[in-house]
Amino acid sequence: MDTKTSSSRGTAVGNENIRIGAASPDTPLVFIYDRSATRSHSLLDLRLVGCQNYAARWGWEVAGTWVDFGDHAIGVQRPRFRDLLGTMRPHAERRKVICLVHNWGRLAQDDEVRLRQQQLVAEAGGCTATTFDESDERRRAVLSGVGCW
């Protein structure tokens, strides 16, 4: 399955998506997410390349890239994020799935909104991680005393 679509306003950008199922079921499947409210995509492109490189460094398989643009990037309704969750959910039944963002601010600047986004990922069966080696799964593991990262 390829999640590559056009990069017009409110749709996902498609860069170097890997066909799902190509890697071992033990390899996490990564869903890259970002948002961009500006017309210039140069910083967005750098963040996305950073996410791709981070996933490659860990040996993770990338399912695709989802980006909310314009008003969708700053509002609470994020159609591409919702699409990411819908694609992630069925895969979470078979393997570990991760929503990868450059940093927590890429989900939302507001902590309450960001925590809600992370909760939605958890409800879809996944965890959220950043390219700065932060993970809500790691945090839960530390708090519970169980190492799972």
Side-chain angles (χ1 to χ4, degrees):
M1 172 194 319
D2 189 356
T3 59
K4 186 174 179 177
T5 60
S6 72
S7 61
S8 63
R9 230 172 149 75
T11 61
V13 286
N15 39 319
E16 310 258 345
N17 295 320
I18 298 172
R19 189 164 295 282
I20 295 173
S24 159
D26 296 336
T27 303
L29 186 59
V30 174
F31 298 76
I32 296 173
Y33 177 76
D34 207 318
R35 59 194 183 90
S36 179
T38 63
R39 288 182 181 246
S40 172
H41 290 188
S42 56
L43 290 176
L44 169 66
D45 293 341
L46 288 172
R47 291 191 305 265
L48 295 176
V49 167
C51 287
Q52 290 281 345
N53 290 337
Y54 185 82
R57 184 177 63 148
W58 281 97
W60 296 341
E61 180 183 5
V62 176
T65 301
W66 288 259
V67 175
D68 279 306
F69 291 99
D71 292 340
H72 294 298
I74 55 178
V76 191
Q77 300 299 320
R78 307 256 178 88
R80 299 309 300 160
F81 184 73
R82 190 176 51 246
D83 292 345
L84 177 151
L85 296 173
T87 305
M88 175 186 279
R89 195 169 281 110
H91 294 282
E93 296 171 8
R94 296 185 302 278
R95 64 198 285 193
K96 181 176 180 175
V97 292
I98 300 169
C99 175
L100 180 63
V101 292
H102 176 67
N103 60 38
W104 293 129
R106 303 325 309 149
L107 284 175
Q109 292 298 331
D110 180 89
D111 286 342
E112 188 175 315
V113 175
R114 178 182 54 82
L115 290 171
R116 177 65 184 136
Q117 302 290 70
Q118 288 177 265
Q119 182 180 3
L120 291 171
V121 171
E123 289 170 2
C127 68
T128 310
T130 74
T131 59
F132 292 89
D133 289 328
E134 301 165 303
S135 165
D136 52 17
E137 181 183 50
R138 182 180 295 139
R139 183 172 169 261
R140 286 192 305 262
V142 169
L143 294 175
S144 68
V146 178
C148 60
W149 184 253

